[in-house]
Amino acid sequence: MPASRVLGRRPGQGPSPPAGGPLRRLAGPAARFVPAPLRDPLQRRPLLGWLGVGLAVRLLLMPFAVSADLLAVYWRAHLIAYDGRLFGDYLVNMGAHYVHAAALRLLAWLLPPPDAVWTDPWWWADSSALAPQIQRQFSGADHAYQTLFALKLPYLAADLGAGLVLLALLGAARPAATRRAWAFWMLSPIGLYASYAFGRYEALAVVLVVGALLACERGRLWSGALLLGLAVTMRTYPLLLVPIFALVVQRRALRQVAWAGVALMPFALTLVANRLLAGSVGELARLRDFSTGSTFLAYTLPVGGGGAVYVFVVFALLVYGGLLGRSRGWWGDAPVGVGQLWVWLLVFHAGMFAFATFSAHYLMWFTPFVALAIGRRERWGGVLPLHLLQCVAVLALADLMGGPGTLLGLFEPLAPGLATTWPNLREALLTAPGMAAQLAGMLRTGFVALMVLLAAPAVAELVRRPRPAAP
């Protein structure tokens, strides 16, 4: 084969031109921080093109969409930033609250005076009645667009950071597959919805989870533990990932326990800080009493004589048990290699969403593994179309269950008077509750089927005769 074909150039084209722009000047240690695909002159231009498209969409959405959830987390963070105290009734995801508080300070030059935005009292006494009023008042303020843009900048940084980590994870993939995965990340419907329309901080946890994955794949196992631990302080769900990481990246039981201990350290420190600063550990104590904790127990199988079997708990225990058995040599030819860790995480996230109830923005936790599947397993051709159908089902269910405040109504700052009158499935079926319940059931059923189909090739890979697997 001619050398020009091997290098990806047409015969007679001559040598590739030197890389242009700032990336050309990167050399030595600095180059380590640029993912391999961006250091490749043949890949750089299309990747930067998709980055431009993704940035344009993000910048267009950032100033014009608001949710009560976005305002609530920043209101709690403003108590830390400006009053030096915690909101003791809601000590959950405190790592994220500290990040939001720091953002308020660092971005103060882009924001109006604090007392122009963060008023007391807030809506906690009667949230269903007061939240819409406060959101409507915020949306009509002169500073609304400017403030929304600034408040979402931390999410933009985390989102793009996660994308760069994914590019690093895809360094060995074919250029065409890398480009498809990157284009997906730039235009992920759920990613755009979660961070820029609904305005939630899922990206803060996602970037740390994929960072932990990258660190472990590159042999920096204890750095991976700390990154995963920080992710737990942003969102509690990575607690469920600690056993999977520990059982894969370490071989001996003592080292597995030690790795898990390091991963839990940031969370433990958060609990101690909560106790010292607010008189309550918060986090798990709050989660126990909060409806979010019950979502993992939503899918049940009835048992004669009382009680129930919790489907997600069974699924999680089977995953943990399967990995434990592999690490102990109970079955399989060898323990799971670190190169297969992402596949186990994909399957676990698939089960987590298939067998639990959740809000639409949470599905962003799954999107990095969709991107990795697109880039690393081209033979799994159904992953992208199946995921896009999932997005349709999830957003339709959000519109049906939440009404205008979860979809079109998020754009209240653009047209405050129209936000509550824009069409939505909830109000369309308000007089037909039986039909609404049937539609919700159909959407949930369809989503579960789509998730099973999407995860099927990954499950098939994991149950095959174990063999060394490339990342």
Side-chain angles (χ1 to χ4, degrees):
M1 181 180 291
S4 58
R5 293 293 297 278
V6 173
L7 296 174
R9 302 189 301 275
R10 287 184 228 154
Q13 248 188 331
S16 294
L23 292 175
R24 179 175 60 183
R25 296 190 290 274
L26 286 174
R32 292 184 308 154
F33 299 100
V34 178
L38 285 176
R39 298 198 302 268
D40 180 357
L42 297 177
Q43 295 191 67
R44 187 178 308 140
R45 179 170 293 184
L47 293 177
L48 292 178
W50 281 112
L51 173 63
V53 172
L55 274 175
V57 175
R58 285 159 171 77
L59 296 177
L60 184 63
L61 289 173
M62 285 169 65
F64 302 125
V66 65
S67 72
D69 284 34
L70 170 70
L71 298 181
V73 70
Y74 267 109
W75 183 85
R76 294 190 295 267
H78 107 279
L79 296 177
I80 302 172
Y82 299 112
D83 298 344
R85 64 187 179 91
L86 302 181
F87 182 65
D89 289 345
Y90 194 87
L91 298 176
V92 177
N93 304 329
M94 291 309 298
H97 283 82
Y98 292 126
V99 169
H100 286 86
L104 287 175
R105 284 294 192 175
L106 293 173
L107 300 172
W109 59 281
L110 282 173
L111 294 166
D115 56 4
V117 184
W118 315 115
T119 57
D120 291 295
W122 205 239
W123 64 62
W124 305 107
D126 189 1
S127 60
S128 59
L130 296 179
Q133 298 177 27
I134 291 177
Q135 182 174 316
R136 185 162 53 249
Q137 181 182 0
F138 173 90
S139 298
D142 293 337
H143 58 71
Y145 298 156
Q146 165 194 350
T147 303
L148 285 170
F149 183 86
L151 296 183
K152 294 175 185 175
L153 284 174
Y155 308 160
L156 176 66
D159 175 26
L160 296 180
L164 291 175
V165 174
L166 288 170
L167 274 185
L169 286 163
L170 293 170
R174 283 198 329 119
T178 299
R179 187 166 59 250
R180 283 194 295 271
W182 178 245
F184 163 74
W185 189 257
M186 287 295 102
L187 296 176
S188 164
I190 291 296
L192 295 173
Y193 170 82
S195 297
Y196 308 105
F198 198 71
R200 287 293 279 180
Y201 51 94
E202 315 310 327
L204 299 182
V206 166
V207 67
L208 292 167
V209 169
V210 295
L213 176 61
L214 177 64
C216 290
E217 285 198 1
R218 295 192 172 180
R220 299 180 177 90
L221 304 183
W222 301 105
S223 297
L226 287 173
L227 287 170
L228 188 62
L230 291 173
V232 174
T233 70
M234 302 294 167
R235 274 293 191 191
T236 313
Y237 86 93
L239 267 178
L240 299 171
L241 310 182
V242 172
I244 298 174
F245 271 85
L247 289 167
V248 172
V249 304
Q250 297 290 352
R251 293 289 178 260
R252 297 180 180 177
L254 187 59
R255 292 180 69 86
Q256 289 169 345
V257 172
W259 195 96
V262 172
L264 294 175
M265 192 182 305
F267 186 61
L269 292 175
T270 300
L271 299 183
V272 172
N274 289 347
R275 183 70 179 179
L276 293 175
L277 298 174
S280 169
V281 294
E283 298 289 351
L284 291 178
R286 174 69 179 175
L287 191 63
R288 180 189 60 200
D289 301 326
F290 198 57
S291 60
T292 302
S294 67
T295 61
F296 292 113
L297 309 178
Y299 284 71
T300 63
L301 297 174
V303 177
V309 173
Y310 298 110
V311 177
F312 170 71
V313 176
V314 170
F315 168 80
L317 292 176
L318 288 174
V319 171
Y320 299 153
L323 283 171
L324 179 64
R326 287 285 299 274
S327 71
R328 297 292 177 272
W330 297 344
W331 45 74
D333 294 342
V336 175
V338 176
Q340 260 197 331
L341 174 59
W342 75 272
V343 185
W344 284 90
L345 291 172
L346 183 152
V347 170
F348 188 84
H349 281 79
M352 182 165 63
F353 285 106
F355 304 131
T357 55
F358 59 94
S359 298
H361 52 90
Y362 294 141
L363 192 60
M364 187 181 179
W365 307 344
F366 183 60
T367 54
F369 304 101
V370 174
L372 288 175
I374 293 170
R376 288 181 165 183
R377 295 293 187 271
E378 293 183 77
R379 63 184 182 274
W380 299 354
V383 166
L384 181 57
L386 289 170
H387 176 68
L388 294 179
L389 288 174
Q390 286 180 332
C391 295
V392 173
V394 166
L395 293 175
L397 187 60
D399 198 44
L400 176 64
M401 306 299 288
T406 54
L407 208 58
L408 293 178
L410 296 172
F411 295 92
E412 186 174 30
L414 278 176
L418 296 178
T420 57
T421 62
W422 286 351
N424 60 87
L425 289 173
R426 181 179 181 180
E427 293 180 358
L429 297 175
L430 202 59
T431 58
M435 186 179 297
Q438 286 183 339
L439 179 57
M442 291 172 61
L443 291 170
R444 291 190 192 280
T445 302
F447 177 83
V448 172
L450 291 168
M451 187 62 85
V452 170
L453 292 171
L454 189 155
V459 174
E461 177 176 312
L462 296 180
V463 300
R464 275 193 222 111
R465 183 179 178 84
R467 59 184 179 183

